[in-house]
Amino acid sequence: QVQLAESGGGLVQAGGSLKLSCASSKATTNFAIMAWHRQAAGNQRELVASIRGVDSTDYEESVKGRFTISRDNAKNTVYLQMNNLKPEDTAVYYCNAEEKVLGNYYSHWGQGIQVTVSS
C-alpha cells in the first residue's frame, strides 16, 4: 500500500507563496507520473500540474508561470511551488502518483491538504 502524505498547505494572502510537499512511502522512481490536483468547493477535481520523469512537466493554463512542480527521487518527494497566489487557487490539493505494473496503471492518492488564499 502506497502512502502519499501532503504538507505545506495553509492560509496565505493573495500574492503570497506556499510550497506543498508530498512524501511517498514508496520510492518515487516507481512512478511514471506524479501530479497535483485540486478541488474547490462545489467543483470537480482538476489536474494542476504533472511531472513525468524528472523534468517533463505540464500545467493547467491558469497556473502557468506561477506554479512549479518538481520531484526529488532521493527524498521520495514531489513538490508544488505556488507563487503569486490568487483567491481562485483556494482548494484542497491532492498528490497523485501513477504506477505502472505489468502494463497496468495504478493510481495512488494522498488525503489532500487545504490551501486558502484570502483577498
Side-chain angles (χ1 to χ4, degrees):
Q1 182 75 15
V2 174
Q3 294 186 340
L4 301 175
E6 299 104 335
S7 61
L11 173 65
V12 65
Q13 288 188 330
S17 297
L18 284 173
K19 186 175 184 177
L20 303 182
S21 299
C22 172
S24 171
S25 63
K26 189 170 186 176
T28 51
T29 49
N30 288 284
F31 305 136
I33 301 170
M34 297 196 74
W36 288 93
H37 299 245
R38 67 186 179 188
Q39 186 167 16
N43 290 357
Q44 290 187 332
R45 191 174 297 188
E46 65 175 357
L47 175 64
V48 175
S50 63
I51 183 166
R52 183 186 298 269
V54 294
D55 59 5
S56 179
T57 58
D58 195 18
Y59 297 91
E60 193 270 328
E61 193 64 32
S62 70
V63 308
K64 284 182 179 178
R66 300 189 296 123
F67 290 12
T68 302
I69 188 171
S70 62
R71 64 195 286 178
D72 185 340
N73 288 333
K75 296 182 178 180
N76 296 324
T77 301
V78 64
Y79 304 97
L80 185 67
Q81 176 68 48
M82 305 185 293
N83 297 327
N84 190 22
L85 283 159
K86 303 176 180 181
E88 52 264 42
D89 295 317
T90 294
V92 177
Y93 284 69
Y94 296 90
C95 179
N96 162 242
E98 298 293 317
E99 183 178 13
K100 188 174 182 180
V101 180
L102 299 177
N104 296 312
Y105 278 94
Y106 296 87
S107 292
H108 306 291
W109 291 89
Q111 291 190 328
I113 191 164
Q114 179 70 45
V115 171
T116 303
V117 185
S118 63
S119 57

